[in-house]
Amino acid sequence: MTNKTYKIILTEDWKIQSSEHISQSGKEISTQTQLSANWLPTQVPTTVLGALVANKVYEDPYFGENLKAIPTQQFKTPWWFSTNFTIHPEQTDLFAHLNFDGINYKANIWLNGHLIADSDAVDGAYRRTSFDISTYTTVGNNILAVEVIPPKPGDFSTGFVDWNPAPPDGNMGIFRPVTLLLHGGVHIENPFVQTALHYNGKTEAKLLISTELHNDSELSISGTLMGAIGNIRFTLPITLPPKGKETIKVDPSDFPQLLFKDPKLWWPIHMGEPHLYNLDLTFKIDEHTSSTTSTRFGIRQVSDYWLDDIHRGFKINGKKVLIKGAGWTDDLLLMDTHEKIEAQVNYVKQMNLNCIRLEGFWGNDEKLYDLCDEHGILLMVGWSCHWEHEIHMGVPVNERFGGVYKKEDIAHVAQAWEDQVIWLRNHPSIFVWTVASDKVPITELEEKYIETFSEYDPTRPYLNSTGGVGSDQHVIGSEDVISEISGSSGVKMLGPYAYTAPIYWFTDTQFGGAYGFNTETGPGAQVPQLDSLRKFIPEDKLWPINDTWDYHCGMYEFADLSRFTNAINERYGTPESIEEFDKKAQAMNYELMRPMFEAFQVNKKKATGVVQWMLNAAWPKMYWQLYDYYLLPTAAFYAVQKACAPLQLIYNYGDHQIYAVNDYLHNVMDLTAKIQVYDINSEIRFEAEKTFNASPDSAVSLLPLDSLEDLSSTYFVNLRLFDSEKKQISTNFYWLSTQEETLDYEADLGEFAYHTPSKQYANLKSLSKLPKISLDVSYHIERKKGGQVAVVTLKNSNDCIAFLVHMKIMDKKSGEVIVPVLWDDNFISLIPQEERTIRATFNVDTDVEIKVEGWNIDRTDYNVGPSHKVID
């Protein structure tokens, strides 16, 4: 049996150079066996600037204001990419296809002196193109040359909107894989597995499998399509006419074995296991394998539901899921590695989030999508608002529909959408397509989207916008976000995006508060820890805050930290040093982030989802992140981890009651809640216990805390949850003020009401009076396969609360903080005489030590155990 199929990803041995420094034509470049010495080596995928940085033409582009110094004129002209590949003698009778998953923005492609595609055929960042190069290949060395033409204003390119500066090269380059496919005449393309669940006593899954078969030869070809899913097999005889293409569909009516009895389902995190299957397809001609593919998929069903015919929610496998997510961005130069992407998905899982929103089709390959499939992380995928506003597009746009309203642009974007859907549709993690962000698509475009869904993916709901509900208030934009075809999206995007008091999330009923589905929102800036600030802010610019800090903020309304620093000054007291600022900034990061997610948890009967804006960072920045560019979590990271825990106790800032939340789909019996209130002197002012059962997917009030008297102006609420065996399973600790924050809903913020300011701030300044104390710290390091585990025990032997204790793992040799790292908990507070043991996992194989800091920690007394205890 002969294998006549090869898939070669052309990653290595590329070179690039600007057309300004090249006099040769594409025909000449694609026939030269040696390029001149001024060409730079690179790999693909890459952007031009990414390659220049990798070659150290520009070093430390993210440090200080270095990015400003990179000349942009050099990126206004085309750049050449060139590589070569080998066709072996035994492959001479095979057909060859060259596939490009993403070129930004246009290209002319040459092979062995032949123009195989011009810029009319390769036009658009989100177009996927494939070319039959069988007549242009030769035995031995083949030379490929790609002239990449940069995006210009008005092009539908990649974009970062307002969360960081634009990349100087506009991300021009070959930013997704280039693949050479060699096959025996017929090749398989675009396999798709649709699954539909039926409940008839037991769960059944009906599988509909489709794929395209392409005959590239001049002859009619007969062969056999063979499919396998585990032990299940099916075969189908096929005859294709010369140069013919056919879409093959099979289902249980053809092959009863495609009706799965009691299948293993794909579930999101905390709802079950994300089980995955593989579909293997092979096309054979006689006994020769002409083409083969392997596709991973999950058996699951997505549906939506409505609250009061206004707010949309989502179900997975018939079960409601409260969306708890955050917004993703790629690296500014599209330089993410697989290792960094994997670390970030692990972070998402560690924070108990169940969703990532991609405002855009991010990723230079499918790694992010694959990992979300494996870990049970839901994905919202679709277009960015980059194309919807003149300030980003660089050309006038339609006020209601954004930049896509001309006939030729509608056709272009519709085809790009189709390409992306076909590329990604097998990923079970994608639960909804978002065809617009701030606005809605023009009717002619939405009609084309609907045609694409009908033909290529009828398995998921789509959102005509990530805004909609409440858009008639014109908080964000002057137009109602309502489609002429599909009406309201049923989700909202009403902010806030800047400093927002904790009470807001529980009490607001008009804008971004905990009702419906808020698709992007958050309390604004999340400043990195000082360890990271030192990596991108020059030492002489670290303090006081200055223009260099501002350069690393967002854009436009978010170009400085004034709202954040004003809130720190009013609530915690004005910092007098960078160290004091760091301490207070992390406290506020934690305090502001936690109640947003908690409010949606508590209000799950009227709330269907919330997406924190944002998850990560495209470059080192001050705004909108749960961990920074260097993968060091801010305190907000641990606030989210706490707020989204599936079984926990929550303090409601709005009604002053303690709630029990159970996200699991099963009862949890015989739980005990312990509630304590401490004053600023660490004396208990209230204490209660309550035993209860937690119903599936529930949030219920346990008792009120609104009748406490004679409290200090700053006080603490300590919540502990114990299981039926009295084992502590969750903790939550709040620092509160008797002077509640008062919101100013009447403030005039102009055309973009991106936050609700405060008339009066909470007063937490008494925290500065907490006595300085010492902690007893013992730890040991355990080595295990793939990394290490730090086991840290903290003991507060004092009569005072140890407030916001922060642990870091340090490289002994370099003194650098180890990242990525997964702590059970961090930025914790210990009540008097409390002892806690916390574990952290990390994947570096180096000698480390633990550093412990805290708000009122004056000294830590360490007891270091065996540093290299081996575990399995």
Side-chain angles (χ1 to χ4, degrees):
M1 196 175 296
T2 305
N3 186 351
K4 290 194 171 185
T5 181
Y6 303 87
K7 184 178 182 180
I8 305 163
I9 301 176
L10 302 180
T11 300
E12 307 293 334
D13 300 323
W14 288 80
K15 292 188 175 182
I16 68 164
Q17 187 52 267
S18 169
S19 61
E20 290 184 336
H21 305 304
I22 296 173
S23 59
Q24 297 100 322
S25 66
K27 182 174 183 177
E28 294 169 314
I29 295 171
S30 64
T31 53
Q32 288 180 328
T33 55
Q34 288 285 355
L35 296 171
S36 59
N38 66 345
W39 285 67
L40 296 173
T42 191
Q43 295 181 336
V44 163
T46 187
T47 64
V48 170
L49 183 52
L52 296 180
V53 170
N55 280 280
K56 300 188 182 302
V57 176
Y58 300 106
E59 298 192 58
D60 297 324
Y62 298 161
F63 184 77
E65 300 183 38
N66 288 353
L67 196 69
K68 285 182 178 179
I70 298 176
T72 57
Q73 189 58 39
Q74 62 185 314
F75 307 119
K76 306 296 183 186
T77 56
W79 280 67
W80 282 95
F81 287 65
S82 182
T83 192
N84 55 71
F85 57 87
T86 301
I87 299 292
H88 299 286
E90 65 270 21
Q91 298 170 333
T92 55
D93 62 337
L94 299 183
F95 293 80
H97 267 257
L98 192 60
N99 304 312
F100 293 86
D101 282 345
I103 295 178
N104 191 17
Y105 188 75
K106 297 184 178 184
N108 294 304
I109 300 172
W110 295 78
L111 179 65
N112 298 333
H114 301 279
L115 179 66
I116 64 170
D118 63 17
S119 58
D120 289 331
V122 187
D123 177 7
Y126 295 103
R127 291 297 316 280
R128 300 176 72 235
T129 51
S130 178
F131 305 103
D132 186 344
I133 59 171
S134 304
T135 57
Y136 305 119
T137 57
T138 184
V139 174
N141 193 45
N142 292 260
I143 302 173
L144 176 65
V146 183
E147 182 187 21
V148 176
I149 301 168
K152 64 181 187 303
D155 282 340
F156 303 101
S157 180
T158 60
F160 294 86
V161 195
D162 58 1
W163 56 86
N164 45 251
D169 67 341
N171 285 154
M172 71 178 298
I174 303 176
F175 74 103
R176 283 184 175 153
V178 180
T179 306
L180 175 65
L181 176 66
L182 303 176
H183 63 88
V186 172
H187 69 278
I188 302 169
E189 279 194 3
N190 302 325
F192 182 36
V193 183
Q194 299 181 50
T195 61
L197 298 183
H198 301 278
Y199 306 96
N200 187 17
K202 287 190 175 181
T203 303
E204 294 181 342
K206 179 180 178 181
L207 272 59
L208 170 62
I209 297 171
S210 63
T211 191
E212 296 172 12
L213 296 179
H214 296 252
N215 179 5
D216 292 335
S217 77
E218 302 287 349
L219 302 173
S220 176
I221 292 180
S222 295
T224 303
L225 179 65
M226 306 172 66
I229 302 172
N231 295 326
I232 294 172
R233 302 284 191 273
F234 63 88
T235 59
L236 193 68
I238 303 288
T239 298
L240 294 168
K243 295 293 184 180
K245 169 186 170 182
E246 185 174 347
T247 298
I248 307 300
K249 296 182 179 181
V250 296
D251 62 26
S253 64
D254 307 301
F255 300 97
Q257 61 268 41
L258 295 180
L259 181 64
F260 280 33
K261 305 286 188 178
D262 197 22
K264 294 181 178 179
L265 302 182
W266 187 93
W267 287 100
I269 183 173
H270 297 149
M271 296 181 74
E273 294 299 316
H275 192 83
L276 295 168
Y277 291 85
N278 281 305
L279 166 67
D280 297 311
L281 292 176
T282 301
F283 190 83
K284 289 190 175 181
I285 305 170
D286 298 325
E287 291 301 309
H288 303 300
T289 297
S290 175
S291 181
T292 184
T293 67
S294 182
T295 303
R296 197 166 63 168
F297 68 96
I299 296 178
R300 64 96 178 90
Q301 190 158 306
V302 183
S303 57
D304 55 8
Y305 68 95
W306 293 79
L307 295 176
D308 302 321
D309 296 323
I310 298 173
H311 301 287
R312 187 195 300 254
F314 292 91
K315 295 180 180 181
I316 305 296
N317 303 330
K319 302 293 185 181
K320 291 180 181 179
V321 53
L322 176 67
I323 301 299
K324 292 172 284 189
W328 176 278
T329 180
D330 277 4
D331 176 86
L332 180 61
L333 306 184
L334 307 188
M335 294 177 68
D336 282 327
T337 63
H338 283 185
E339 292 76 15
K340 187 170 184 179
I341 293 171
E342 185 168 9
Q344 294 182 81
V345 172
N346 285 330
Y347 272 178
V348 169
K349 193 173 182 180
Q350 183 73 13
M351 284 186 282
N352 295 306
L353 295 173
N354 60 16
C355 175
I356 296 173
R357 180 185 167 198
L358 308 185
E359 187 178 341
F361 283 95
W362 288 114
N364 54 24
D365 58 20
E366 292 184 69
K367 184 65 173 180
L368 172 61
Y369 307 89
D370 288 338
L371 288 169
C372 287
D373 292 344
E374 294 164 13
H375 289 282
I377 306 299
L378 295 164
L379 284 169
M380 300 175 67
V381 183
W383 296 137
S384 163
C385 71
H386 180 74
W387 304 346
E388 296 176 339
H389 302 280
E390 181 174 346
I391 198 168
H392 308 310
M393 278 288 281
V395 296
V397 301
N398 182 284
E399 189 62 29
R400 183 176 180 193
F401 303 116
V404 190
Y405 60 94
K406 298 176 182 176
K407 184 177 180 180
E408 62 273 20
D409 293 340
I410 290 171
H412 175 103
V413 170
Q415 184 59 59
W417 179 267
E418 181 179 302
D419 288 356
Q420 299 302 296
V421 166
I422 292 172
W423 177 44
L424 296 172
R425 61 187 174 174
N426 281 300
H427 290 282
S429 54
I430 298 174
F431 75 102
V432 67
W433 300 112
T434 59
V435 300
S437 179
D438 299 9
K439 302 189 177 185
V440 289
I442 197 168
T443 300
E444 294 85 350
L445 179 57
E446 188 173 1
E447 287 173 344
K448 289 184 178 295
Y449 288 153
I450 292 170
E451 290 174 5
T452 292
F453 293 134
S454 176
E455 184 170 357
Y456 296 108
D457 183 20
T459 67
R460 299 170 173 89
Y462 81 96
L463 295 177
N464 59 38
S465 175
T466 51
V469 176
S471 62
D472 56 335
Q473 300 179 74
H474 301 158
V475 173
I476 299 174
S478 60
E479 296 286 330
D480 295 1
V481 184
I482 303 293
S483 163
E484 295 175 354
I485 296 176
S486 49
S488 169
S489 64
V491 300
K492 65 179 183 178
M493 193 175 65
L494 301 171
Y497 298 95
Y499 169 79
T500 303
I503 195 172
Y504 171 92
W505 304 103
F506 290 95
T507 59
D508 171 74
T509 58
Q510 300 179 71
F511 305 119
Y515 67 95
F517 188 171
N518 195 338
T519 60
E520 59 175 57
T521 190
Q526 281 98 43
V527 176
Q529 295 189 52
L530 182 55
D531 298 275
S532 289
L533 289 175
R534 294 186 186 278
K535 291 184 177 181
F536 67 95
I537 303 294
E539 192 67 29
D540 63 346
K541 298 288 187 180
L542 264 178
W543 191 258
I545 293 171
N546 52 69
D547 290 349
T548 303
W549 285 60
D550 293 346
Y551 185 59
H552 287 267
C553 288
M555 309 289 284
Y556 319 122
E557 294 89 354
F558 311 105
D560 61 48
L561 285 171
S562 58
R563 291 175 296 273
F564 185 81
T565 55
N566 184 59
I568 283 184
N569 298 344
E570 293 292 329
R571 304 171 98 252
Y572 290 92
T574 303
E576 296 182 358
S577 67
I578 183 62
E579 290 79 13
E580 185 181 357
F581 174 82
D582 176 47
K583 179 176 73 172
K584 291 180 176 180
Q586 296 312 315
M588 202 161 79
N589 282 347
Y590 195 115
E591 185 205 6
L592 299 186
M593 183 59 66
R594 177 174 55 180
M596 179 180 74
F597 283 100
E598 288 184 335
F600 279 80
Q601 292 266 70
V602 165
N603 288 314
K604 58 172 59 185
K605 289 184 179 178
K606 66 175 183 178
T608 62
V610 59
V611 176
Q612 146 68 12
W613 200 251
M614 302 171 66
L615 172 70
N616 58 354
W619 81 317
K621 66 175 184 176
M622 309 292 178
Y623 262 84
W624 303 322
Q625 59 196 340
L626 298 176
Y627 49 88
D628 64 37
Y629 179 77
Y630 307 103
L631 299 184
L632 182 61
T634 73
F637 179 108
Y638 302 104
V640 174
Q641 181 174 317
K642 187 72 66 178
C644 295
L647 189 62
Q648 59 165 313
L649 303 175
I650 289 173
Y651 170 75
N652 183 323
Y653 285 79
D655 65 13
H656 311 296
Q657 298 189 57
I658 305 301
Y659 284 77
V661 169
N662 177 18
D663 278 352
Y664 293 121
L665 298 181
H666 58 267
N667 288 303
V668 184
M669 311 299 287
D670 298 324
L671 295 169
T672 301
K674 184 175 181 180
I675 300 99
Q676 295 175 314
V677 178
Y678 287 82
D679 64 17
I680 195 64
N681 298 314
S682 301
E683 295 180 358
I684 295 177
R685 304 305 300 271
F686 175 85
E687 192 167 20
E689 285 193 10
K690 186 164 185 177
T691 302
F692 65 100
N693 300 324
S695 301
D697 192 25
S698 63
V700 296
S701 173
L702 295 182
L703 81 165
L705 282 183
D706 57 358
S707 59
L708 304 177
E709 297 179 356
D710 299 324
L711 281 174
S712 52
S713 60
T714 301
Y715 64 98
F716 307 98
V717 173
N718 179 43
L719 305 179
R720 305 294 170 102
L721 184 63
F722 300 85
D723 65 14
S724 59
E725 298 179 354
K726 305 307 177 185
K727 178 183 176 183
Q728 184 170 284
I729 55 176
S730 78
T731 68
N732 224 342
F733 189 87
Y734 299 82
W735 50 105
L736 304 172
S737 173
T738 55
Q739 177 178 299
E740 289 195 352
E741 198 130 349
T742 306
L743 304 175
D744 186 2
Y745 282 105
E746 307 304 320
D748 183 4
L749 299 177
E751 294 182 358
F752 184 14
Y754 52 87
H755 71 125
T756 299
S758 298
K759 291 181 181 178
Q760 173 182 274
Y761 288 92
N763 181 4
L764 299 165
K765 294 176 182 177
S766 296
L767 289 169
S768 64
K769 299 177 182 178
L770 285 173
K772 296 293 183 181
I773 60 174
S774 64
L775 278 185
D776 297 321
V777 179
S778 61
Y779 70 87
H780 65 268
I781 308 298
E782 302 172 346
R783 292 193 184 276
K784 67 173 188 175
K785 185 178 180 181
Q788 302 186 68
V789 177
V791 182
V792 185
T793 298
L794 307 173
K795 185 174 182 180
N796 178 15
S797 301
N798 305 277
D799 294 329
C800 175
I801 288 168
F803 184 56
L804 285 186
V805 179
H806 175 214
M807 296 158 285
K808 294 186 281 190
I809 301 174
M810 314 296 293
D811 186 307
K812 276 189 177 180
K813 185 176 181 179
S814 69
E816 294 285 327
V817 180
I818 297 294
V819 290
V821 60
L822 301 174
W823 286 96
D824 292 342
D825 202 355
N826 214 330
F827 286 92
I828 66 174
S829 295
L830 302 173
I831 60 176
Q833 309 305 316
E834 181 180 5
E835 182 176 304
R836 294 265 303 274
T837 297
I838 311 292
R839 297 168 66 88
T841 60
F842 52 102
N843 293 329
V844 299
D845 187 19
T846 187
D847 289 336
V848 302
E849 59 186 358
I850 306 298
K851 184 176 182 180
V852 179
E853 303 170 332
W855 181 281
N856 60 327
I857 306 305
D858 186 47
R859 190 181 79 251
T860 48
D861 299 318
Y862 290 95
N863 176 20
V864 182
S867 60
H868 293 148
K869 180 180 178 182
V870 179
I871 62 173
D872 293 328

